[in-house]
Amino acid sequence: MNVPLQKIVSALGGEVLINRPVRHEFDLLAIAQEGLPMESITHLQKNMGFTNKTMSHILAISESTYQRRIRNQAKLNKDETEKAIALSEIYAKGMEVFEKKNDFEYWLNAKIVSLQSQKPIDLLDSMIGRKQVLNVLNAILHGIYL
């Protein structure tokens, strides 16, 4: 992982919202098997400034299913949890790079030349897109402006 484990956990609301201790990456594997609680996901969603529609799109579930899971305090399935963990890594890296939430949100919604003039937010619904967004954030962090 490109981001310290505790920053990923913090982006998901910490061990309190995750409902288990997280000491190493194998704990994230166990969390993926169990599924993340919706409280953790809504915490990440709020931090990223996403609507329910955007978050449900990224997780590849319908908005109505997403809202029902929030109401029922359900958990995500394994695939959705893995996407959320990857998204939390992007959030943690974005905050490391931009330091201010508003600056990171602006960048997520701006057309970025190094992403073929696409908005980072539009790439977060695929593994390859998330990887590209993370690569650009790492480049920016190291003073490489692609």
Side-chain angles (χ1 to χ4, degrees):
M1 296 194 138
N2 291 319
V3 175
L5 182 63
Q6 291 310 311
K7 288 191 177 194
I8 291 170
V9 170
S10 178
L12 292 167
E15 293 177 353
V16 172
L17 292 184
I18 294 173
N19 293 327
R20 74 179 342 248
V22 182
R23 302 291 177 252
H24 45 76
E25 287 187 31
F26 283 106
D27 290 331
L28 287 180
L29 183 61
I31 290 167
Q33 296 291 339
E34 296 169 7
L36 275 168
M38 288 307 293
E39 296 88 0
S40 177
I41 300 310
T42 55
H43 177 84
L44 176 63
Q45 175 185 342
K46 181 181 175 187
N47 280 338
M48 294 196 80
F50 292 166
T51 63
N52 285 354
K53 182 177 181 176
T54 300
M55 197 67 170
S56 64
H57 176 75
I58 291 169
L59 296 175
I61 56 179
S62 72
E63 187 176 356
S64 61
T65 297
Y66 184 76
Q67 290 174 351
R68 186 172 43 257
R69 288 187 187 172
I70 291 171
R71 278 192 312 273
N72 296 338
Q73 298 180 349
K75 290 187 175 185
L76 297 180
N77 68 29
K78 181 180 178 182
D79 183 54
E80 296 158 353
T81 297
E82 287 179 346
K83 290 175 186 176
I85 290 170
L87 193 59
S88 70
E89 186 175 8
I90 289 169
Y91 173 76
K93 183 60 72 174
M95 290 306 297
E96 182 180 357
V97 169
F98 293 100
E99 297 179 354
K100 294 179 182 173
K101 182 179 164 186
N102 289 342
D103 292 345
F104 179 48
E105 284 181 26
Y106 178 82
W107 182 83
L108 282 172
N109 290 285
K111 291 183 178 185
I112 306 300
V113 173
S114 56
L115 294 172
Q116 297 187 340
S117 295
Q118 296 182 74
K119 297 176 183 180
I121 195 169
D122 294 336
L123 301 174
L124 298 178
D125 63 341
S126 77
M127 178 186 70
I128 294 168
R130 288 187 296 271
K131 180 180 176 186
Q132 293 304 312
V133 169
L134 198 56
N135 287 344
V136 171
L137 286 170
N138 277 315
I140 294 169
L141 184 64
H142 292 95
I144 303 167
Y145 299 95
L146 306 173

